[in-house]
Structures are given as C-alpha cells and as structure tokens.
Amino acid sequence: MRVLAHAKAVLPDRVIDDALVVVEHGLITHVGPARPGAVPAEAVDLRGALLLPGIVDTHSDGLETELRPRPGAEFEVGFGVSSFEGRVRAAGVTTVFHGVAFESHNRKGRTVDRARRLDAAIRERAASGHALVDHHILYRLDARDPEGLAALETCLSGTPALFGTPAPPLVSFEDHTPGQGQYRDSAVYRRWLEGTEGISSEEAQRRVETLVAERDSRIGHRQIALGRLAEHAALGRARLLAHDPVTPEEIDVAVANGVAVAEFPTTMAAARAARERGLRVVAGAPNVLRGGSHSGNVAAAELVAAGLVDGLSSDYLPSAPLAASLLLASQGAASLPVAVALVTSGPASVAGLADRGGLVEGQRGDLAVVTVDRGWPTVRMTVTASDPVLPAGVGR
C-alpha cells in the first residue's frame, strides 16, 4: 500500500487542497480530504505539492534524438530505450507512445530496418518486468513508401493487445513533403532546410523541388496505403491517426477510412471538422509553450480555447506536456482540472486506454508529484502502478 497525504490533488472535476490518496496493488483505492486524525503514520507528507495523474504521451519522437543525438553518432537501440525511459519518467510521464517511423529514406537517419529494431527493443523492454514507465508504440508511416507499408503490416499482423491492454497500437498516416500538410507553405520548409542543414537558399529550393517531384511520382500510393491501414483498423489491429490535416475534406477522407484521431490539425477548420465528425484531436505541447507553430500553422492554445483539443503530446520534447498544461491554467485558458486532463485522461482516451489518467478510485496508480517555482514545474516524484512499495521512510 502507498499512502500520499497533504497534497493539492487535481481531480477530473475539482481540486482538493489537502488531500489523502491511497494506492493498493497498483490501483487507486481512496481519494479524499486528509482529515485530522485520519492520516496513517506511514503516509508520505507531500507538503502541499501538486498531485496529478501520471502524464500520458501519445506522440513522443524523443527516442530518435536519444539514439542519434548528433549526425553520425548512433547508439544501440536497447540502450536508447532504457536511457530515454528515465528521461520521460523525470518529466512525470508514466505512459509513453514512442514514435517508430517506417520510412526508407530520411535525413534524420530513419530507415525501415531501424524501425524494426526499435519495435523489437520497445516490446522487449515493455515485457521485461523492469520498465520504469508503461511503453507503447506510435507507428508512423510515410504515406508514399511501399517498403515502409510492407514492414509495418508485418508488425500489425500480430496480436492487437501488444502491451497487455485491449487497445491496439496507434498508427499515424503522414506526408511531410513541402506544399501540403505541416509545410503547405513550401517557403517555410525551404527556410527550415537552410537553418538546419546550413545550405544556401538556392540549394534548399532545389531540394524542395526534388521532394515535390518524388512525391508526385508516388502520389498514387497514398490511397493504397490508407486503404490497407483501414483494413487493419477494421480488424482491431490499429487505431489510426490522420497527421497534419489541413481541410475539412481531408477529415472526411480520414473518417471514411476508419481514422479515429486528428493529430496536429494545421487549421482551425480541420480541427472543427474533426470534432464535428467525432474524432479525437491531439495538439502539440511545444506549440503551446512557444506561443504558436514553428511552421506558421494554427496555434495550439487557440484550439484549446475553442474547446477543440482532447490531448497535448510532447512531439519532440518530453518535458513539454506538463509545462504546457500548467501554463494554460495560469493564463486562464483552462481551469486546472481541464488543463491537467489535456495531458492525462485526454490522451488516454485518444489511445483508447480507459484504465488511467484520473485521480479516481479504480484507476491505475500512476502519479506525478509536482512543485511550481516562478511559473515552471519541477517533478519531485513519479509513481507507476508497477512500482514496488518501498519500506517506510525509504525514498522520502
């Protein structure tokens, strides 16, 4: 049994300023006020710190950076998974969906072979019994890549409940070539190339033209790939995400192919269409922290203010969801319970995981203890349902 007392506990609908929370056998069994005389001697005194459900991150590309922090400096995938695990736990994340990109050509070092190795390493760590967080996979498919599709279908042909839950893996259907999606303004993509690769504007423009020509030569494969993914979704093998939708028409195509989630809609119109058609909506937490999109697309805070966001994901920065949530609350864009739900119960619903995300009796005992100094959070302790309970006095 784990007993936490004198916390400012954020529940789905309210905040208890002096709370007592009890976890037994990995499940929350009590949430209520810490009444005088009712706090057990073995309770950990949190001294007014925020007590939140563990953060659920449905889109984390940070593992890529862990494996390849510099161009040409590649680390073994098993090391990368265990190393990154500590990083996300330190950010209060207890459930993470690692982005595994099935792309055969990419300057970020992504290859289909590396995707296979990552898939195997994440599964192995998840099944080890020693993981510090609950590992899951977000498969990312380049819509134009036949080799990537074939490899991904092999992964999806196994048992849907890969990680001990009834929810199938997430699959994001993507196309990052300039002129559409995230980079519908190709000039933004060109400037990005200039800044990240240190090349001239002329060379960047040639790259853009080459990418567009390659995309156009394989444009027919998009519908083939989406059709195949729709079949897997219908069989319960995948939960599909439409990545960077721009227009309501794109949302209609997604719905017709069994897509359940609109991930990073680039316009208010796409987000509204997704909500009207019953899709969950994910936005980027870094977008909230930066005050807008680095690609010139709609600001995530605007979508939150309009009530169009179910979950915020880290995208590429593990510490972003918690900070973005508390920033939104401090700015009055959302109440504290609503802001916290954007990184806990909301993402859990995006992933189809009904057993976590709230300080509610019967939910998983995934917790984060947080203090705030000068507006920014520090995670003081992270607890997962599978953590051993230490003897009294140890770890306080």
Side-chain angles (χ1 to χ4, degrees):
M1 184 168 67
R2 190 186 309 274
V3 184
L4 304 175
H6 306 304
K8 184 176 182 178
V10 183
L11 279 62
D13 58 349
R14 66 191 189 281
V15 176
I16 301 178
D17 288 322
D18 186 11
L20 177 70
V21 175
V22 180
V23 176
E24 298 179 81
H25 306 295
L27 297 178
I28 299 171
T29 58
H30 176 81
V31 181
R35 304 189 188 282
V39 178
E42 69 271 20
V44 177
D45 186 350
L46 297 184
R47 303 179 182 179
L50 284 171
L51 181 60
L52 314 177
I55 292 169
V56 179
D57 188 0
T58 58
H59 185 130
S60 173
D61 291 334
L63 182 53
E64 282 190 333
T65 304
E66 199 80 11
L67 291 172
R68 196 170 184 256
R70 293 182 179 180
E74 187 101 12
F75 289 89
E76 195 271 330
V77 292
F79 165 78
V81 171
S82 62
S83 176
F84 188 64
E85 177 183 74
R87 194 183 301 276
V88 297
R89 181 169 171 131
V93 175
T94 53
T95 301
V96 58
F97 283 76
H98 299 285
V100 175
F102 280 84
E103 300 177 4
S104 54
H105 301 287
N106 194 286
R107 66 191 162 280
K108 293 182 179 179
R110 295 172 179 168
T111 66
V112 170
D113 178 64
R114 190 177 78 166
R116 290 192 186 100
R117 289 185 284 115
L118 264 178
D119 179 63
I122 293 167
R123 293 186 191 216
E124 182 179 0
R125 184 63 177 172
S128 70
H130 304 295
L132 299 178
V133 298
D134 194 23
H135 293 276
H136 294 262
I137 294 178
L138 165 72
Y139 292 115
R140 304 183 61 181
L141 177 67
D142 184 330
R144 305 153 299 139
D145 195 331
E147 182 186 358
L149 175 63
L152 174 58
E153 287 198 275
T154 299
C155 293
L156 296 179
S157 62
T159 305
L162 295 177
F163 299 97
T165 75
L170 302 181
V171 179
S172 182
F173 183 75
E174 308 176 358
D175 185 344
H176 282 122
T177 51
Q180 51 80 55
Q182 179 182 358
Y183 294 107
R184 64 186 186 278
D185 181 352
S186 59
V188 173
Y189 192 91
R190 188 187 68 238
R191 290 193 295 270
W192 181 82
L193 281 174
E194 292 173 27
T196 57
E197 301 196 13
I199 59 178
S200 67
S201 60
E202 292 78 15
E203 175 61 22
Q205 181 61 33
R206 282 193 291 271
R207 295 264 196 100
V208 166
E209 292 169 358
T210 298
L211 287 168
V212 170
E214 289 178 351
R215 179 194 66 210
D216 291 346
S217 70
R218 295 187 287 175
I219 198 70
H221 186 69
R222 287 177 57 94
Q223 191 55 46
I224 294 172
L226 186 55
R228 293 295 298 150
L229 293 181
E231 293 176 19
H232 286 286
L235 293 171
R237 295 173 176 169
R239 186 170 174 84
L240 300 186
L241 292 76
H243 192 77
D244 295 339
V246 178
T247 66
E249 290 74 21
E250 289 179 36
I251 295 296
D252 288 339
V253 171
V255 171
N257 284 277
V259 169
V261 180
E263 186 181 44
F264 309 142
T266 64
T267 64
M268 183 70 74
R272 288 193 187 282
R275 177 53 52 85
E276 291 168 359
R277 289 152 180 74
L279 302 189
R280 302 286 185 181
V281 177
V282 174
N287 183 312
V288 172
L289 292 177
R290 296 180 68 255
S293 165
H294 72 278
S295 305
N297 298 315
V298 67
E302 291 182 28
L303 299 180
V304 171
L308 298 175
V309 177
D310 295 287
L312 296 172
S313 72
S314 72
D315 198 357
Y316 51 85
L317 185 63
S319 57
L322 175 61
S325 170
L326 298 186
L327 179 63
L328 288 168
S330 70
Q331 293 175 338
S335 67
L336 185 57
V338 169
V340 167
L342 289 173
V343 297
T344 55
S345 59
S349 70
V350 165
L353 299 174
D355 63 345
R356 68 199 71 191
L359 293 186
V360 177
E361 294 175 9
Q363 289 267 289
R364 282 173 57 104
D366 296 335
L367 309 169
V369 178
V370 178
T371 59
V372 180
D373 180 43
R374 300 177 188 177
W376 299 113
T378 297
V379 177
R380 300 293 179 179
M381 179 170 63
T382 302
V383 176
T384 70
S386 59
D387 284 351
V389 178
L390 300 176
V394 178
R396 295 190 184 181

